[in-house]
């Protein structure tokens, strides 16, 4: 978060057990109400790309390798999705049944 010249931001990372990390900068706190729509797409994309550049992730990384509660059953489509598919909105999670 310090890499970017964003004056006001809050980042909260958690898992199924609750909050793991919190970072607050400027006047935006975790309880500040904001209408953001898709505003986090840019920050998420920048953060993920930085991790790819640092070789901490790759485009073929799978969520279950980094998120303990992610699906691992091969019959579950979520178990085969890659970071590239998630970041390019090609995961199929929003597909309508035919």
């Amino acid at each position: 978060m310090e890499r970017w010249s964003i004056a006001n931001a809050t980042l909260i990372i958690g898992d199924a057990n609750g909050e793991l990390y919190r970072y607050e900068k400027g006047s935006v706190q975790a309880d500040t109400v904001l209408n953001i729509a898709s505003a986090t797409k840019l920050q998420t994309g920048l953060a993920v790309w930085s991790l790819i550049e640092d070789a901490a992730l790759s485009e073929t990384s799978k969520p279950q390798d980094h998120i303990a509660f992610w699906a691992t059953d091969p019959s579950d489509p979520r178990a085969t999705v890659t970071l590239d598919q998630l970041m390019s909105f090609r995961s199929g999670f929003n597909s309508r049944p035919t």
Side-chain angles (χ1 to χ4, degrees):
M1 294 292 288
E2 290 299 327
R3 283 185 173 179
W4 303 294
S5 60
I6 299 170
N8 303 297
T10 294
L11 171 68
I12 300 172
I13 299 173
D15 65 10
N17 297 314
E19 186 176 311
L20 299 173
Y21 175 80
R22 178 185 295 219
Y23 176 90
E24 296 175 328
K25 179 179 178 183
S27 63
V28 175
Q29 304 299 303
D31 61 351
T32 303
V33 177
L34 300 168
N35 293 321
I36 62 168
S38 295
T40 58
K41 287 179 184 174
L42 175 61
Q43 289 89 343
T44 301
L46 290 170
V48 169
W49 191 253
S50 293
L51 291 169
I52 290 171
E53 286 181 334
D54 293 343
L57 293 174
S58 76
E59 293 91 341
T60 59
S61 294
K62 295 194 174 194
Q64 64 268 31
D65 296 336
H66 306 280
I67 303 172
F69 60 87
W70 194 272
T72 57
D73 181 346
S75 66
D76 186 331
R78 294 173 296 176
T80 61
V81 72
T82 64
L83 181 59
D84 176 56
Q85 292 169 322
L86 290 169
M87 296 301 293
S88 61
F89 304 100
R90 296 180 295 118
S91 66
F93 293 154
N94 291 328
S95 296
R96 298 185 193 278
T98 56

